Amino acid sequence: SHKSRSEDSARLRIQIQSQLGQFHCRRSEFEKAKTYLYAALNVAEKRLPRDDIDKALLLNNLGVFCKYSGRFAEGRKFHARAMSLLRKQKEPDLHFEATLLHNMGGIERAAGRFKEAEGPARASTALRRSLLGTENVTYAEDLSALASILSELGKFREAESSFKKALSIFKKTYGARHSEVALN
C-alpha cells in the first residue's frame, strides 16, 4: 500500500512536470521546458518500474521538446527508447505507436533528413488509416506531414495527392477558413 501510494505520487509529479515542460515548450521557453521535462525523467527513472509505459509517454514528450529546441540527435534517442518501451508492453497501444512514428518522422523532417523521415511518416499514416479510417482529422495530419516530406524528396505527384486528401478532410472537419486548410 505504501509502495503504491509512493508510485502514484511519483506518477502525479511526473505528469505535472511533463505538462509544465510542454507548456513552456509551446511558448518557446526552452530552458524552462528542459528543466521540467528532465526533472520528470529523473523521477521516472528512479521511481517507476523499468518498462513502465508512462516512461514511454514522457520520452516521447522529451523527443518533441528536442525537435522544437533543435536537439535532434538527443530527440532521436528519446523516441527510440519510447518505441522500445512501447514494444515491450503485453498489448502495445497502437494509437500511441502511430503518434510516436509521426513524431519520429517529424524530428527527421525538422533536421532536414527527409529520406529518414519518409519511413516513419509512411508507417504512421498507414497505421492511423487502419485504426481510424480515411476521414479522420488525425489521419489527415499524418497524411499532410507525409506529403510535406514527399515534396521535399521531389515526389511531387504523390505529395500533391496526399495534400489534396488531407485538405479535403480538413475542410470537411474544420471548414474552409481554418489554419490547417490554409497551411495545406
Side-chain angles (χ1 to χ4, degrees):
S1 176
H2 173 69
K3 184 177 179 180
S4 66
R5 272 188 277 138
S6 175
E7 193 173 296
D8 288 346
S9 172
R11 288 182 195 285
L12 182 59
R13 187 171 169 197
I14 292 163
Q15 183 181 16
I16 290 168
Q17 288 174 324
S18 181
Q19 288 175 351
L20 285 167
Q22 291 173 69
F23 169 78
H24 288 293
C25 186
R26 285 190 297 274
R27 295 176 51 110
S28 298
E29 298 170 349
F30 298 122
E31 286 308 310
K32 287 181 182 178
K34 181 180 176 183
T35 298
Y36 284 112
L37 290 167
Y38 282 80
L41 180 61
N42 186 43
V43 173
E45 297 289 15
K46 289 179 179 176
R47 308 263 309 272
L48 296 183
R50 200 175 108 191
D51 293 338
D52 194 281
I53 192 63
D54 284 345
K55 280 187 190 175
L57 297 168
L58 176 59
L59 290 164
N60 178 57
N61 291 341
L62 279 156
V64 171
F65 158 75
C66 287
K67 170 189 161 184
Y68 288 115
S69 61
R71 296 169 165 92
F72 303 123
E74 190 176 1
R76 284 184 201 101
K77 290 177 186 175
F78 285 133
H79 285 312
R81 281 182 62 198
M83 186 62 79
S84 175
L85 284 173
L86 176 64
R87 293 198 168 143
K88 289 179 181 177
Q89 304 303 306
K90 289 179 185 172
E91 293 183 37
D93 178 342
L94 296 178
H95 292 281
F96 177 51
E97 183 173 343
T99 297
L100 190 50
L101 287 163
H102 176 95
N103 291 340
M104 292 170 93
I107 199 166
E108 296 300 354
R109 182 184 181 280
R113 294 169 31 121
F114 304 109
K115 286 182 182 181
E116 292 82 355
E118 184 179 7
R122 283 189 185 282
S124 70
T125 303
L127 183 54
R128 201 84 74 179
R129 182 179 53 241
S130 74
L131 293 169
L132 302 173
T134 59
E135 296 300 315
N136 185 280
V137 72
T138 307
Y139 166 70
E141 291 167 355
D142 284 348
L143 197 57
S144 175
L146 174 60
S148 179
I149 292 164
L150 294 171
S151 179
E152 293 289 346
L153 290 171
K155 299 178 180 183
F156 299 119
R157 282 198 176 114
E158 188 180 0
E160 181 180 12
S161 173
S162 296
F163 272 130
K164 285 181 176 180
K165 288 176 191 173
L167 184 60
S168 173
I169 297 166
F170 289 136
K171 281 183 178 178
K172 287 179 193 173
T173 305
Y174 297 132
R177 299 182 58 87
H178 192 272
S179 60
E180 285 290 351
V181 172
L183 180 63
N184 280 270

